[in-house]
Amino acid sequence: MWRHPTARTLLAALALLGIGMGVYLLALGQLLYQLTGSPRAFALVLTLQGVAALCVLPFAGPLVDALDARRVHIVCSLGRALTVAALALTGLTRPPGAAGWIAAGALLLAVFDNVQRAALFKYTAWHVEAELRARLNGLINVAVQIGALAGMALLGLLLLWTSAAAALLGDTLVALAVAALVLTLPAGAGEPHHPAASVLRTALPLTLRDWREMFHRHRGDLATLGAVALCAADFVFQSCVSTLIVPLVAEDYGGRGQYVSLLEAVFALGMVASSPFTRHTQRRRLLPLWCALQAAAALVLALSSLPAVHCTALFVAGFANLCGLTWLITTLQTRAGPAEKAKMASLRMLSIGLATTALMPLIGHFAALSLTAGFLATAAVMLLFTALAAAIAGAGERRPPGAVVSRTGAGSGESRGPGEREAVSGSGSPRRPRAAPGP
């Protein structure tokens, strides 16, 4: 993995991106609190970002599938840099309606973020070999987690001699560095894409046609559709942990803020610890186990007030969270057809957005009743996802029309679309990548 130049550059870029996100999220929350005096302002911005994602994702997938993934990633990084610089300037000058302008900028950031994720999904699927892809997907999440922790620590240092608004400029510098790193990646040779002018001119017809063809191709493929739905489980659990750790610290740790960072770090360390074992954990039959462990961790957090128990439960939950997430991302990259990599990424993120929008208010309702009720509600939600994971693990294999079995995917029940790298035909001879037909 570390000798693979593309993988190494991607990991470095995503670690940097995590640093920028760690700075941005905490600095923006503090800035909005200074402007409005209410923590609800930041919560509203996060909710609006979710709504923006749901609006842009149906178009992001087909757009990225039709364009060069590396160029899209670079454009989004540059757009992010300019937007965060504008947010910092707004926070420093504080014009009338500054909070509203900041909310609008945050919505634009959500658009860049989701398009960039779709581009990353597509680029990884086309330019990283199948035998390294699961390992890379696990390390990507580890790199982002480590970067976010480093970004939060960096923000603490920046705030010693500057303001939250000025600290946002740190994310601007990071976004520019990410664009420069991605620029060194190999160009997207072999990716199916079309001239940008043609794509933009026919955006809506292409979008409707591409989604129709994708759903037709995967009709009846319960394993793939179930995996898309299950992608929401890991992110919903992470959101629940972030929501409930603050009242947990208030109730069992005397409200000392450093314990919030400590418990969040233990969860992140669990994710990091799972990385060396991805070659052993990437099995479809283990999927229910990863969901069940997260449900059990929530149950333990509901019933115990011992710090050692809390740390153990969060560490195990982080380990299981990354194991499940890595299998799902790798499987969807593999099962997506040659011209639908980014659309599969958009479908995955739509699932996450819908589940978060539907389930987090429910968790918030029970958390308002009591901390125990909040964790029990989290455990119940994860048990529902465990049942879905069990159905996926037991589902018969159905490959989409034209798919072929990968040399490296046979053990996990994965398949490849026609024309993907290292696929084999029925005779066992290598098949050259085949471009998708034009619009």
Side-chain angles (χ1 to χ4, degrees):
M1 174 62 67
W2 302 111
R3 292 192 297 269
H4 193 291
T6 297
R8 200 167 55 236
T9 303
L10 283 172
L11 288 172
L14 285 158
L16 277 175
L17 189 62
I19 291 173
M21 290 175 62
V23 171
Y24 159 74
L25 285 173
L26 293 186
L28 187 64
Q30 293 182 44
L31 178 59
L32 284 170
Y33 187 79
Q34 293 168 6
L35 290 171
T36 64
S38 171
R40 292 184 178 181
F42 188 49
L44 177 61
V45 166
L46 293 179
T47 302
L48 291 175
Q49 284 187 326
V51 173
L54 292 177
C55 292
V56 73
L57 283 171
F59 300 95
L63 183 66
V64 175
D65 269 330
L67 298 175
D68 183 279
R70 187 185 67 137
R71 291 179 182 174
V72 171
H73 201 289
I74 292 169
V75 169
C76 288
S77 292
L78 295 175
R80 179 181 182 85
L82 291 173
T83 304
V84 175
L87 291 177
L89 182 61
T90 302
L92 289 169
T93 58
R94 303 198 177 186
W101 286 110
I102 289 175
L107 291 179
L108 186 57
L109 284 177
V111 173
F112 288 135
D113 181 55
N114 284 281
V115 175
Q116 196 171 39
R117 290 185 188 186
L120 172 67
F121 188 100
K122 176 186 176 183
Y123 190 89
T124 303
W126 274 98
H127 298 280
V128 177
E129 291 80 0
E131 60 269 20
L132 294 179
R133 203 175 297 154
R135 175 74 171 146
L136 177 62
N137 285 329
L139 287 173
I140 281 173
N141 289 282
V142 168
V144 172
Q145 288 291 327
I146 293 175
L149 291 172
M152 293 174 187
L154 175 62
L155 177 62
L157 294 175
L158 291 174
L159 291 178
L160 291 176
W161 64 78
T162 189
S163 65
L168 281 172
L169 293 173
D171 190 23
T172 296
L173 297 176
V174 167
L176 292 173
V178 169
L181 262 179
V182 174
L183 189 61
T184 67
L185 287 170
E191 289 182 20
H193 58 265
H194 312 295
S198 171
V199 172
L200 295 175
R201 186 174 60 250
T202 58
L204 184 58
L206 279 175
T207 297
L208 296 175
R209 185 206 67 181
D210 286 354
W211 280 116
R212 184 173 62 250
E213 289 181 355
M214 180 176 172
F215 283 116
H216 178 75
R217 170 175 150 80
H218 292 281
R219 69 189 186 283
D221 185 5
L222 298 181
T224 299
L225 297 177
V228 169
L230 196 61
C231 282
D234 299 294
F235 285 87
V236 166
F237 186 82
Q238 289 182 35
S239 299
C240 291
V241 167
S242 296
T243 300
L244 296 172
I245 276 182
V246 175
L248 175 69
V249 169
E251 188 170 304
D252 293 340
Y253 298 84
R256 287 170 287 182
Q258 63 268 32
Y259 283 98
V260 175
S261 299
L262 173 64
L263 294 176
E264 288 274 14
V266 169
F267 183 81
L269 286 173
M271 301 181 77
V272 173
S274 72
S275 175
F277 304 99
T278 49
R279 69 182 64 186
H280 306 295
T281 59
Q282 296 309 291
R283 301 288 186 272
R284 184 165 69 170
R285 64 178 179 273
L286 294 178
L287 201 55
L289 174 63
W290 308 134
C291 291
L293 284 175
Q294 292 174 82
L299 184 61
V300 168
L301 291 168
L303 300 178
S304 176
S305 59
L306 298 175
V309 174
H310 292 166
C311 289
T312 301
L314 287 168
F315 184 87
V316 171
F319 188 100
N321 190 279
L322 187 68
C323 288
L325 182 61
T326 302
W327 185 90
L328 290 165
I329 293 175
T330 305
T331 297
L332 292 178
Q333 283 175 334
T334 301
R335 297 183 68 86
E340 61 187 34
K341 303 296 186 185
K343 285 190 288 296
M344 188 67 81
S346 287
L347 195 60
R348 167 181 166 267
M349 289 184 286
L350 277 170
S351 170
I352 293 168
L354 288 170
T356 303
T357 303
L359 294 174
M360 287 311 296
L362 180 68
I363 300 298
H365 169 73
F366 283 101
L369 299 178
S370 72
L371 177 63
T372 299
F375 277 120
L376 289 176
T378 302
V381 167
M382 291 310 299
L383 283 175
L384 290 176
F385 281 121
T386 301
L388 175 59
I392 294 173
E397 183 69 16
R398 176 203 177 275
R399 294 193 295 274
V404 289
V405 178
S406 164
R407 290 190 183 106
T408 59
S412 58
E414 295 172 358
S415 61
R416 288 177 170 269
E420 288 194 58
R421 292 183 173 186
E422 299 198 20
V424 293
S425 65
S427 62
S429 59
R431 181 180 296 176
R432 294 177 62 83
R434 183 175 59 201

